Every structure is written in structure tokens, then in C-alpha cells.
Amino acid sequence: MTDVRDSGTPQPDAPPGGPVRRALVRLLPTRPEGTPLHPVTPWRRAWAPIAALAAAGLHNVEQAGRWLTELSLGWLALGLLVVVPAAAVYGFLSWWCTSYLVTETELRIRTGLLFRRTAHLRLDRIQAVDVRRPLLARAVGVAGLTLDLVGTDSKDQLAYLGEDEAVALRAELLALAAGMAPQTARHAGEAPAARLLRVRPRTQLAAVALRGSFWVAVVGSLVAPGVLYAVTGSVFALLALLVPALSLAGRTTFGRLLTEYDWTVDDSPDGLRIDRGLLGREHATIPPGRVQAVRVREPLLWRRLGWVRVELEVAGMGKEKGGTLLPVADRAAAAEVLARVLPGVDLAAAAAAAARGPRRARLGAPVLWRAFAHGTTDAVFVARSGLLERRTVLVPHAKVQSVRLRQGPWHRSLSLASVAVDNGAGGTAHARLRDADEAHALLLAQADRSRTGRRTARAERWLT
Amino acid sequence: MSSAPHTTAETAGTAHAPHEGEWRGVDRALLRMRRLLVCGPLLLAGAAAAAVLWATAGAWTLLALVPWTAAAWAWGALARNWRSWRYAERADDLLIEHGVLWRRLTVVPYGRMQLVEVTSGPLQRRYGLARLQLHTAAATTDAAVRGLTPPEAQRLRDRLTELGETRSAGL
């Protein structure tokens, strides 16, 4: 990995323009090789010092107010004359020193004016490239790229690029990662995508309103402060509880609505693409073959409508970070999308396969036992739990890492046992309170199924 | 120092037994070590309590029986626990079973093993013991075999690594 920038040679091709411009450019630090980011970027960077100033002002409002009154207009103007150009120059220079370069094997990102940072991202390690369009960026017509690499927790970002440039670069990176020749990859263009599903805003609103957590949030944030007010009669105490309660309720319900608004799922050769968000649009790609398990959630009030929420556990993304595949959809649509993520998996068949344990399981878990169910199909291990919100976990046989049987003294006296199936994303599916003999047979049979499942599984490729 | 590991061959066919191969128990030195660690302090505590109580409070000396009873119970319980530890190498996976009251049976396919680790502390080395730990991509997999003799641990480690390579599968 040779570092071209540090070779110290000045730009061989002098920039066009008059002698003044050339002289100016000579004054600047050597521009790193590669393509610069979008010229809007410095404005984002200029936020940092201004925000720091504002935060300092907010931190002690009184003092800032006194200063402001004491400061004469002249001083204020002078301050602005110094701060604004300084921020502009800083922003410009940091933009000047940032660039990216796509080579055959790597994406190199260089940043930093004083403290230089060079990130070399190996293309064959790229798991997903996502296009982000926050609200302000959408207004200006730029987009950021988020690069997800295997085995790294932090995601590298490339912000901002022109919208077209971002989409083209994403396509090029994915084509290169798939092993295309660099010359053809540059013009590969976005892989064609077919719309699979779009969640209508009306459905989305209804889904949020029908969730138990929504009512808990609403009632909690209204009743608890009300009771407090009735008891103490203090407005201050009321506000002290009401404001955080409302903000929490808002974040859990409306925050979710904002980020999951207008959810669309497209099928493309590099995986399922998800676009979502009301204000800022987020774009994510789910690489097929990395999905380790699927969780299907059915809150109590959704069940009558046949709605489900589908979440994924993806390798290398942690237990919870795998994310949502569908915020809300009816069963048939969910089954169709799910079949793309896990080929050969039939949601209806999986749900039908799940059966309750023996009746004596009620002694093991008095009420909950009704919710526990388990079954297997040719493709997946199915485990269900949850009385109010029904959760069904599907683990493809080929993704099973280990199988465990557990039996405590009480369960042994009832001749019951539980089987746990671990997947590669760190999640576990539990088939609880099964008949002990059945559990033993299940343990060994699951090991066999997983072995044959692995043999017949397609080669591990996230780009096909 | 160490006796030969006891082996209980079970016939294949029932759901409880591995289809092929046989269960192997762990080294008896593990039982001796645990008995020393658990019963030794209990017996000493009982003796100390008996001495102090005899000198001070006469009939209360019988209280010293409590740690001694505990030691006697632990003596048997440790033996049962030691007998419960066993593992079986099948063609494609490793089975590990342990626990008397809380029974655990874990199946780890060879192709899923990411790392095989053999550890041995100072006391374990004194008793000629080693512990084999298997790691898969799932952090929840708790697959460990205690009380192996170092040669057996090495043999198992090498075999598992070799099998893991030939049967390796992606995530």
C-alpha cells in the first residue's frame, strides 16, 4: 500500500486558470489523490465550530446574555468578521484535504487537515453499501454513502456526494466487490431492481396505533403526571414528569413512525433494498445468505388483522442491529418477501408446523405454556413464544451453530426438557417445555438436519 | 496420578444415545481435585469449629457436624457430577453432556467450530488435567469439556481442528 500523497511531488498538471489562481493553489496543501467530495460538504463541516460556540453559549445562558448586552455592535461585527471567514476557511481546507479513490481492490478515503487519516477499505470485505439522504442533504440534492465491512463495528462514511454520483459509486463498488473487471464495473450502473412491497402510510399509522406500546406510552404519559398533580397539586412536579414522559412516548412511537414511514422493499441482484423515512431517507441493503434467523412479531391487536412485523438477525451485525425487514405487512405479503430472503422458506407452513408441548407443561409454566410452540419444516426450525405479542423465530437448518438441551430438576420430574438452537448472529431460538424423549430426539435430529442443510446450502456469496 | 478414563459404551438406536461412537467420561483426577477443593475446607472448618466449641460451649460441639455432613454430601454429589460429564465424537458433531440436577446436552457440528481452546491452570496441571473449550460463531454456545488428560485434550483438539477444516462451512 504505497502512499501517493506523501511522495511530496506537487500536482504535475497545474490547475487551469490565471496566475493568481495558480499561486493560490500553490499555497494550499497538496491535494490528496482521488475524487473530491461534493462542494456542499464544507458547510456540514463548518457546523462543528459554530455548534460548539452555540453549545457553549447555551451552557450558561445568563453569562452569554450579559456578554451580548455588554458587547457593542462594533465588537459583534468584528467577531463575526473573524469567526465566519475562519469557519469558512476551515471548512474549505478540510474539504480540500478529503478525497476518495477507487482502485481495483480498495476504496481509499483520505481525510484530515492537521491529523491525516487514510482508510483503505478492502472491496471484498464490503458487506453492504447504503445511500443515506438526511433531510437537509435531500434539500440540497446530495447523499452520503455508508460502508459496512465484515467484522467491523463502526461503519465508514463518505459524505457528501452528488446524488447521482453516490448512486453510481455504490453500483461501482458493488460491481467491483462482485468481481467485475474495473473497466466494466465503472459503467455497470445500478443493478435493476423490482418493487416487492410498499407499506402504505395508512397501514403504518394504523399499525402504530394498534400497538400495545403506543397505548402504554400515551396512557403512561398522561395518567401518571395527572395522578401526581392530583396528589401534590404542584405544577412544577407535573411538568417535571410530563415533559420527559411525553418525549419518551414521542420517541418510541412517532420516532418509529418517522423512520419507518413509506417503507419500500425492492429485489435486486445484490440483495433486498429497503428505503424508508419521512424526513431523511435511509437506504439499506440486506445481503442474502447472511441472514441467520427471522423473527416474526404479532402484537395482540394485529393478529385479528393478520398483520406481522418481520425482523432479521444478520451475521456480524449483533443481536439487535440486524434490523427490520418489514415494519408491518399482512401475512401473504410478508411470506412473499421472506421467501426472497430465505429461499425455500414458507411462512405459512412454518407457522402451521409449530405445535404445543404436552399438557403437563402447564405445571412448568402455568399460563405461558400456551404460547410455547415448536416445529420443524424442511427448511427451518420454528419456535414460538409470547402470549400478548406472539414471537415466532425461524432459524434455517443450515445456519444452526449448536444445539443444546437443558433440563432442570422440576422439569425432569415432569419429564419435560427445553431445546435451544444458537445461530451465528448471537441469537437463540428456544423450543421450551417439550416432552423429554421428544426433546432428545429433536436434539439429534436437529443436528442431522443442520448437517444436511449445510451440505445442500448454496455457496456463501452475498452477491450472486 | 491419573487413572484411565472410564468409558460407558451405549448401544446405538435409542434417541438418547449417539448413533455411532461411544460416550467417553472424563478423568478421575477431576473428581479428586474437586473433592479436595470442596471437602477439604469443609472438613477443616468442621474441625476448627469443633475445637473452639469444645473449649467454650460444651454440648454445642454437635454444631461441628454441620460442615462435616456437608462434606459427606459433597463427597457423593461431586462423584455424581463427575460421572455426569461425558462426551461423544460422532461422525459430524461432538456431543457434550453434564449436570445431575440441571442437565445440559450440547451438540456442536465440527463444521461450525471456529476455535478450539485448551486451557490448564496451575492446580489443574498439578492433577494432570486440561479443559477444552469450543467456540462457534454463536457466543451462546457453552461447549466445554473439563477434566481431560493433557494427551487426550491434545488428541481431541487436533482431531476437532482437522475435522473442522474438512467440514468447514461459512456462516
Side-chain angles (χ1 to χ4, degrees):
Chain A
M1 293 186 196
T2 55
D3 203 335
V4 179
R5 191 194 60 233
D6 288 344
S7 57
T9 51
Q11 302 267 33
D13 45 339
V20 178
R21 187 167 172 194
R22 254 201 303 262
L24 270 179
V25 166
R26 197 140 304 157
L27 277 176
L28 290 168
T30 319
R31 171 149 227 170
E33 52 162 356
T35 322
L37 299 175
H38 194 276
V40 158
T41 312
W43 295 107
R44 183 194 69 149
R45 309 222 165 199
W47 274 116
I50 292 173
L53 219 65
L58 275 177
H59 192 65
N60 35 11
V61 181
E62 288 173 27
Q63 224 171 0
R66 209 171 62 237
W67 282 348
L68 280 180
T69 47
E70 280 174 9
L71 283 173
S72 64
L73 200 65
W75 279 108
L76 209 63
L78 192 68
L80 281 178
L81 275 179
V82 174
V83 168
V84 171
V89 167
Y90 168 76
F92 172 77
L93 283 176
S94 70
W95 169 75
W96 181 263
C97 291
T98 304
S99 74
Y100 69 89
L101 179 72
V102 183
T103 71
E104 272 176 51
T105 53
E106 288 171 341
L107 168 67
R108 298 179 189 168
I109 304 175
R110 291 155 198 280
T111 53
L113 176 59
L114 294 175
F115 300 94
R116 299 247 161 113
R117 171 175 182 264
T118 313
H120 288 222
L121 314 179
R122 275 180 55 192
L123 292 178
D124 56 353
R125 290 276 153 192
I126 289 182
Q127 225 179 95
V129 185
D130 296 332
V131 179
R132 274 184 319 113
R133 295 189 182 92
L135 183 61
L136 278 173
R138 267 172 99 188
V140 189
V142 295
L145 279 188
T146 307
L147 299 137
D148 198 0
L149 270 77
V150 178
T152 52
D153 286 336
S154 63
K155 292 184 171 184
D156 264 284
Q157 300 208 348
L158 205 52
Y160 285 94
L161 306 166
E163 273 185 347
D164 298 338
E165 194 189 352
V167 171
L169 179 63
R170 175 178 182 282
E172 184 183 346
L173 289 177
L174 289 179
L176 280 171
M180 238 185 231
Q183 285 77 22
T184 49
R186 196 144 302 154
H187 309 290
E190 186 86 328
R195 173 65 45 90
L196 274 182
L197 185 129
R198 176 164 179 268
V199 180
R200 282 181 307 168
R202 199 146 43 95
T203 316
Q204 194 111 43
L205 275 171
V208 169
L210 285 176
R211 273 186 78 94
S213 62
F214 172 72
W215 292 105
V216 168
V218 167
V219 171
S221 59
L222 291 181
V223 166
V227 168
L228 189 73
Y229 182 68
V231 169
T232 63
S234 150
V235 181
F236 182 75
L238 172 73
L239 286 180
L241 195 61
L242 190 63
V243 171
L246 273 182
S247 77
L248 190 71
R251 223 175 328 143
T252 50
T253 59
F254 293 103
R256 184 175 249 190
L257 193 63
L258 284 186
T259 54
E260 295 183 352
Y261 189 82
D262 193 22
W263 190 286
T264 56
V265 182
D266 294 295
D267 193 15
S268 81
D270 51 292
L272 282 188
R273 288 194 205 146
I274 291 171
D275 286 281
R276 63 191 168 91
L278 177 63
L279 303 175
R281 290 295 277 174
E282 297 267 338
H283 175 116
T285 310
I286 294 168
R290 289 210 163 261
V291 175
Q292 305 285 311
V294 178
R295 280 191 305 265
V296 180
R297 290 170 177 269
E298 296 163 88
L300 185 66
L301 296 172
W302 289 17
R303 250 179 271 167
R304 189 173 289 271
L305 296 163
W307 287 356
V308 295
R309 179 184 175 89
V310 184
E311 293 170 351
L312 301 176
E313 288 179 25
V314 180
M317 290 194 187
K319 207 170 181 176
E320 294 302 323
K321 265 170 74 188
T324 311
L325 174 65
L326 292 170
V328 57
D330 60 58
R331 285 182 156 277
E336 197 180 318
V337 174
L338 197 57
R340 303 292 181 117
V341 178
L342 299 175
V345 174
D346 184 1
L347 186 59
R356 254 185 224 167
R359 261 194 77 78
R360 61 179 185 281
R362 71 184 187 280
L363 295 173
V367 184
L368 272 176
W369 77 279
R370 291 177 169 280
F372 295 140
H374 153 75
T376 50
T377 69
D378 290 343
V380 286
F381 176 93
V382 187
R384 198 166 68 202
S385 66
L387 269 182
L388 292 178
E389 187 186 68
R390 195 154 66 189
R391 289 181 298 274
T392 313
V393 185
L394 311 181
V395 186
H397 295 317
K399 302 294 183 189
V400 171
Q401 296 285 329
S402 61
V403 193
R404 292 175 288 142
L405 181 137
R406 319 182 84 194
Q407 191 181 40
W410 176 237
H411 289 168
R412 185 130 54 95
S413 68
L414 294 169
S415 184
L416 296 170
S418 299
V419 175
V421 165
D422 303 303
N423 69 55
T428 304
H430 295 275
R432 293 180 206 271
L433 303 180
R434 312 304 296 184
D435 179 74
D437 289 338
E438 181 203 336
H440 273 282
L442 168 66
L443 179 84
L444 299 172
Q446 186 60 39
D448 283 343
R449 270 195 295 270
S450 299
R451 189 177 64 242
T452 48
R454 277 197 300 280
R455 280 200 189 128
T456 54
R458 290 182 306 163
E460 277 311 319
R461 298 217 39 178
W462 60 277
L463 278 170
T464 45
Chain B
M1 193 73 220
S2 69
S3 57
H6 77 261
T7 49
T8 40
E10 287 188 15
T11 48
T14 62
H16 296 264
H19 294 304
E20 51 195 281
E22 55 180 12
W23 288 106
R24 281 165 158 269
V26 297
D27 197 82
R28 200 175 171 86
L30 179 74
L31 176 61
R32 282 204 298 275
M33 186 183 83
R34 286 182 160 179
R35 275 179 172 163
L36 178 81
L37 281 177
V38 176
C39 300
L42 280 173
L43 289 174
L44 284 178
V52 170
L53 289 169
W54 179 255
T56 56
W60 289 97
T61 309
L62 285 177
L63 272 181
L65 283 178
V66 174
W68 281 338
T69 319
W73 177 80
W75 188 269
L78 286 172
R80 283 194 296 279
N81 182 273
W82 169 73
R83 268 195 298 274
S84 77
W85 275 92
R86 54 183 195 167
Y87 61 96
E89 299 161 64
R90 295 206 297 170
D92 288 285
D93 39 34
L94 181 76
L95 273 71
I96 302 167
E97 187 176 22
H98 66 100
V100 178
L101 278 180
W102 277 271
R103 279 223 298 240
R104 282 139 201 265
L105 176 55
T106 306
V107 184
V108 185
Y110 296 134
R112 292 307 196 188
M113 288 172 199
Q114 303 224 323
L115 175 69
V116 184
E117 198 180 16
V118 175
T119 52
S120 186
L123 191 67
Q124 286 177 314
R125 276 204 297 280
R126 172 78 183 72
Y127 277 87
L129 292 173
R131 177 176 184 272
L132 185 105
Q133 169 91 46
L134 308 173
H135 296 273
T136 69
T140 41
T141 305
D142 61 336
V145 191
R146 290 159 188 279
L148 296 169
T149 59
E152 169 67 1
Q154 267 178 27
R155 182 198 69 79
L156 202 55
R157 183 195 63 200
D158 293 343
R159 188 174 134 79
L160 293 179
T161 318
E162 183 192 322
L163 288 168
E165 271 166 19
T166 55
R167 287 173 176 71
S168 167
L171 279 180

